Amino acid sequence: MASQNILRWRDGRGWLVLSGGGEGATDVRAQALGRAAADGGVAYLALGNHGGWSEQVLADMDDLGAPPGYIVDALTEDDQTLIARLGEAAIIVIEGAPDVTTVRSGLIGAAAQGMQAAFENGAVVLAEGSAAMALGAWVVTAGGQVLAGLGWLEKALVVPGVTAVAQSAPAQLVLQAQPAALAVGVGYGSALALGPDGEVEPWGRHQVTVALGRELGKGG
């Protein structure tokens, strides 16, 4: 795990970008493009058809001057295709579906393997909305159930679309149950970007807040 102060994330030569999505996401996507390797395409990792998300983002990225891209659907592609198509990408943009459990289920297994291969080779992994939550240690469903996330950001809950994470109900739920955890709120149009050499950067509107569990708070 790479680390900087209290944040610990997946080892790799790439950038992990956890975006709140929503309005203003174009600025975050532009910064992600600026950190990407010159060679390699953009993989748009979709989870079914949620209002034409992939096509909309592809058009936005094209307007920003992105290299050629392609859509990969984690819910319909076979494992071999997922691993190969994601593993060769310079940027992976992950859809945030309305239901975080859909994202979590779609990313577990072959999709995660392909993402890991690309990340180790220097790719930018840009997770938007609920996909950013899925890459944390936990996800919180709409019904308040806490499930394990993919753990790319260790011991952390990522809460997209929130600018004051300490007041977030999902954050309070996890922090009360996990005193050594932290919660990261990422507002719409903002992102937390984590680099290969320990870089920690707020992108876009810079609306990134952190709340600490009881054990971490005592340490601070």
Side-chain angles (χ1 to χ4, degrees):
M1 285 279 179
S3 65
Q4 180 62 256
N5 295 324
I6 59 173
L7 296 172
R8 292 175 60 84
W9 60 96
R10 187 68 54 95
D11 281 325
R13 291 166 43 209
W15 282 78
L16 174 60
V17 184
L18 304 170
S19 168
E23 183 182 354
T26 296
D27 291 341
V28 172
R29 294 169 188 156
Q31 288 189 262
L33 280 170
R35 299 298 169 91
D39 55 342
V42 184
Y44 299 91
L45 182 53
L47 298 127
N49 182 16
H50 296 292
W53 172 90
S54 301
E55 292 84 357
Q56 295 168 17
V57 177
L58 195 150
D60 189 30
M61 293 281 281
D62 187 58
D63 289 343
L64 291 169
Y70 47 90
I71 297 171
V72 184
D73 193 328
L75 301 185
T76 60
E77 301 283 2
D78 62 83
D79 288 357
Q80 184 176 356
T81 299
L82 276 173
I83 294 170
R85 296 297 276 160
L86 293 174
E88 66 189 11
I91 304 179
I92 299 173
V93 185
I94 311 171
E95 171 182 26
D99 180 6
V100 70
T101 57
T102 299
V103 184
R104 173 182 175 272
S105 298
L107 296 184
I108 290 173
Q113 291 179 45
M115 290 162 50
Q116 179 67 35
F119 186 66
E120 289 176 355
N121 289 330
V124 175
V125 175
L126 169 58
E128 300 192 342
S130 57
M133 177 181 278
L135 292 189
W138 302 278
V139 304
V140 179
T141 70
Q145 184 180 12
V146 180
L147 303 173
L150 275 73
W152 282 48
L153 186 60
E154 187 178 89
K155 294 185 179 179
L157 172 73
V158 181
V159 189
V162 168
T163 55
V165 72
Q167 300 173 14
S168 159
Q172 292 175 6
L173 190 65
V174 169
L175 294 179
Q176 288 172 6
Q178 303 286 344
L182 63 141
V184 180
V186 186
Y188 295 125
S190 302
L192 173 65
L194 305 168
D197 296 316
E199 300 95 337
V200 176
E201 301 177 0
W203 286 6
R205 295 174 178 171
H206 292 204
Q207 294 177 334
V208 178
T209 57
V210 177
L212 306 179
R214 293 188 303 277
E215 291 186 7
L216 292 178
K218 290 177 182 177

